[in-house]
Amino acid sequence: MASISLSLSPNPNHLYNDTVFSPQSHFLRRVATVSTFSGRHLNNKTSLSTSPEKYRREKVAAVRMSSTVSDSHSYDVVVVGAGIIGLSIARQLLNGSDLSVAVVDAAVPCSGATGAGQGYIWMVHKVPGSEKWELATRSRQLWEKFAEDVKHQGMDPQEVLGWKKTGSLLVGKTLQEMAALKEKVEQLSKAGLKAELLSSTELQEVEPALVIGEEGGAAFLPDDYQLDARRSVAYIEKENRKYATEGRYREYYNQPLTGLLRSDSGKVEAVQTSKNLLYSNKAIVIATGCWTGSLMQELIRNLDIEFDVPVKPRKGHLLVIENFNSFKLNHGLMEVGYVGHQDATRQPSAETETLSVSMTATMDTSGNLVLGSSRQFVGFNTEISEHIINQIWERAGEFFPSLRKLLLTDLEKTREVRVGLRPFMPGGKPMIGLVPGLSNVFLAAGHEGEGLSLALGTAEMVADMVLGNPTKVDNAPYALHTHSS
């Protein structure tokens, strides 16, 4: 006997709620249904022209009764989201247990924030003693171990992961910024990291193309790393797929999550995608980046749970100049103002968008110059803004004067623009933990700008919680809480 469901058609991006009668049980299963939206990595001006908010407002004329039965499969853990966080959680569970894992995504890996990032594993801009410090430190250790494991398998981490110890420079131009950098170096040194304060002259010696004036300088961490997010994700996927032959792993890409199936006992038994019904024996993990807030809002709307996930999209642009040879960067660079822009929690009103542009500059292992970065609240819009790209270029020119001799219009054939939606969280720390009111649903989201650097520590933390093990890092600062009305 086929399941009967009421669905909205034909637009798969609509958000809606259904009740499904399942022939496999004697009770009614309430299904909150919602479609997730993928991010976009863009090489040109083509992008989403309609936002998810507009989709929600649109009315659909066609409503049909469906008698089709989705294919059903069973796994111990279902991970929703195939960015660096979701895939790393799957990897941790596969390597550290005998559980079977399915990964679900509305698109494909690296189509969201992960693929649009700059790829640095830096500690230079982090704050010792802060709530995120322990997680950042643990994640860095795990990335170092990951790179070593790749090396021990006879492969080159630089080739496989884009992994390279470039060191990082947090750059300031004024006496006030230098005073802050001096304090930063002292903090990092006390925390056990090798950190140095470089004068303008010393900085010129290690980065000849950088010009900041006599009053400037930089905080220098020689042991910080760079990696390539896309290569790293591809390798993690490859490693995960080795478990497929044992029946322990499968990917369900291009399948938006459309619902959770919850039993009378309160346990979420399965997730419904656009094509499959995936039962979970042990846990479901939601790691859907900036879409997590709207997704969870829809999923729990009819479940009598008072719970807020304030994750919002914060759009960012990166400019990539391929095979750049006008000068070479020896380290990763970031202006000190980036830290303030990253930590800003002000959100725009409905009529105003907030835009900040600060200089970041790296050179990847392929010789591409990667310049950033912008931050703005414009909902789920992922269209390229030439105005912002010009601002990034101009800001970079204030630190690298030789760029002013080049016209950005002359680099059209060798440039790439990356646009991503960072998962912004008020307060600046991610949400990692069990969803209140749902005994087997975990959430890991809100890593804005730090998804790569915090990924492995987050994965270890989530896996330990799923397995019932003590966490290596205190998870209390990231716990999810109900809110009073």
Side-chain angles (χ1 to χ4, degrees):
M1 181 177 181
S3 296
I4 300 177
S5 65
L6 181 67
S7 62
L8 297 180
S9 174
N11 193 333
N13 288 322
H14 277 282
L15 309 181
Y16 52 92
N17 271 10
D18 287 345
T19 299
V20 173
F21 295 87
S22 172
Q24 299 176 347
S25 63
H26 298 291
F27 55 83
L28 184 67
R29 284 179 177 155
R30 179 71 62 183
V31 183
T33 60
V34 59
S35 289
T36 57
F37 296 85
S38 65
R40 293 293 184 268
H41 163 237
L42 302 169
N43 289 308
N44 51 47
K45 296 181 182 180
T46 304
S47 67
L48 286 178
S49 59
T50 309
S51 70
E53 272 51 57
K54 184 175 181 181
Y55 280 132
R56 293 189 186 103
R57 293 193 300 267
E58 290 176 346
K59 295 181 179 180
V60 178
V63 178
R64 60 182 172 83
M65 295 294 286
S66 171
S67 60
T68 60
V69 180
S70 298
D71 290 337
S72 63
H73 308 272
S74 180
Y75 300 89
D76 293 314
V77 180
V78 177
V79 178
V80 183
I84 188 64
I85 301 295
L87 286 172
S88 295
I89 291 170
R91 170 182 174 267
Q92 186 73 28
L93 288 166
L94 291 167
N95 290 342
S97 74
D98 60 357
L99 298 180
S100 59
V101 182
V103 175
V104 179
D105 198 275
V108 294
C110 289
S111 58
T114 298
Q118 203 156 1
Y120 45 75
I121 309 295
W122 296 351
M123 301 295 288
V124 70
H125 61 306
K126 302 193 186 302
V127 181
S130 66
E131 289 183 311
K132 287 189 294 186
W133 178 257
E134 189 181 3
L135 180 58
T137 301
R138 178 59 180 166
S139 291
R140 174 195 172 101
Q141 293 170 349
L142 292 172
W143 273 115
E144 290 174 331
K145 183 179 184 302
F146 192 176
E148 281 298 313
D149 289 345
V150 170
K151 187 176 181 179
H152 288 157
Q153 293 177 51
M155 295 177 285
D156 181 359
Q158 181 169 323
E159 179 66 27
V160 172
L161 306 175
W163 179 263
K164 189 176 182 181
K165 184 188 284 190
T166 59
S168 63
L169 292 163
L170 189 60
V171 179
K173 286 188 170 186
T174 67
L175 291 176
Q176 183 180 6
E177 289 177 339
M178 282 300 289
L181 290 174
K182 181 180 179 181
E183 183 179 354
K184 166 70 74 175
V185 167
E186 291 173 353
Q187 290 176 339
L188 293 170
S189 297
K190 288 180 182 179
L193 297 182
K194 184 177 180 181
E196 306 172 34
L197 184 67
L198 302 184
S199 66
S200 176
T201 301
E202 292 169 326
L203 188 54
Q204 188 76 35
E205 292 176 357
V206 297
E207 288 293 350
L210 181 67
V211 179
I212 57 169
E214 295 181 359
E215 294 182 351
F220 176 41
L221 264 66
D223 295 332
D224 275 355
Y225 299 92
Q226 186 82 19
L227 61 76
D228 185 300
R230 299 173 199 178
R231 292 191 198 181
S232 298
V233 163
Y235 182 74
I236 291 173
E237 277 190 296
K238 180 181 177 182
E239 291 296 295
N240 288 352
R241 288 169 182 166
K242 291 181 180 179
Y243 293 93
T245 57
E246 304 173 17
R248 290 184 54 205
Y249 181 70
R250 189 170 176 183
E251 297 160 350
Y252 296 87
Y253 293 160
N254 296 305
Q255 296 192 34
L257 176 66
T258 58
L260 297 180
L261 274 68
R262 191 187 189 204
S263 68
D264 286 345
S265 66
K267 179 183 177 182
V268 176
E269 295 194 353
V271 303
Q272 177 73 59
T273 77
S274 58
K275 299 178 181 178
N276 292 278
L277 182 62
L278 306 178
Y279 284 88
S280 168
N281 300 322
K282 191 172 185 67
I284 294 165
V285 181
I286 308 293
T288 49
C290 71
W291 296 274
T292 305
S294 55
L295 173 65
M296 289 302 299
Q297 181 180 0
E298 293 295 325
L299 291 177
I300 68 175
R301 188 166 61 184
N302 292 334
L303 300 183
D304 298 323
I305 297 173
E306 290 289 333
F307 173 60
D308 182 35
V309 182
V311 179
K312 306 291 183 184
R314 186 144 72 160
K315 183 180 179 179
H317 286 69
L318 286 179
L319 173 62
V320 182
I321 308 299
E322 298 173 349
N323 302 313
F324 186 78
N325 54 20
S326 295
F327 61 79
K328 180 183 178 182
L329 289 181
N330 300 310
H331 309 84
L333 294 98
M334 173 188 293
E335 67 169 293
V336 69
Y338 177 93
V339 179
H341 292 162
Q342 182 185 39
D343 293 340
T345 58
R346 174 181 175 269
Q347 294 197 51
S349 67
E351 298 81 21
T352 307
E353 68 178 52
T354 300
L355 171 66
S356 65
V357 174
S358 50
M359 186 280 293
T360 61
T362 56
M363 188 160 279
D364 64 24
T365 53
S366 300
N368 302 321
L369 178 65
V370 185
L371 299 173
S373 66
S374 68
R375 293 175 186 270
Q376 61 180 157
F377 292 103
V378 288
F380 290 90
N381 179 290
T382 56
E383 292 182 356
I384 292 174
S385 168
E386 288 299 326
H387 170 68
I388 293 175
I389 294 302
N390 288 332
Q391 283 189 286
I392 290 175
W393 183 253
E394 291 169 6
R395 186 61 179 166
E398 295 178 20
F399 290 83
F400 303 98
S402 61
L403 291 180
R404 299 174 186 170
K405 301 175 183 178
L406 303 173
L407 294 177
L408 192 54
T409 53
D410 293 338
L411 300 173
E412 288 287 339
K413 293 182 179 180
T414 60
R415 84 168 200 179
E416 173 195 7
V417 174
R418 299 177 188 171
V419 176
L421 300 175
R422 303 181 184 91
F424 167 86
M425 267 288 293
K429 61 182 180 181
M431 304 178 82
I432 308 170
L434 193 65
V435 175
L438 299 176
S439 61
N440 62 327
V441 179
F442 296 82
L443 190 149
H447 299 73
E448 185 199 358
E450 298 178 299
L452 282 170
S453 61
L454 298 181
L456 300 192
T458 297
E460 182 182 63
M461 183 182 292
V462 171
D464 282 337
M465 287 189 285
V466 168
L467 296 169
N469 299 330
T471 58
K472 312 297 188 301
V473 173
D474 182 15
N475 63 303
Y478 312 99
L480 287 65
H481 302 286
T482 56
H483 69 280
S484 57
S485 299

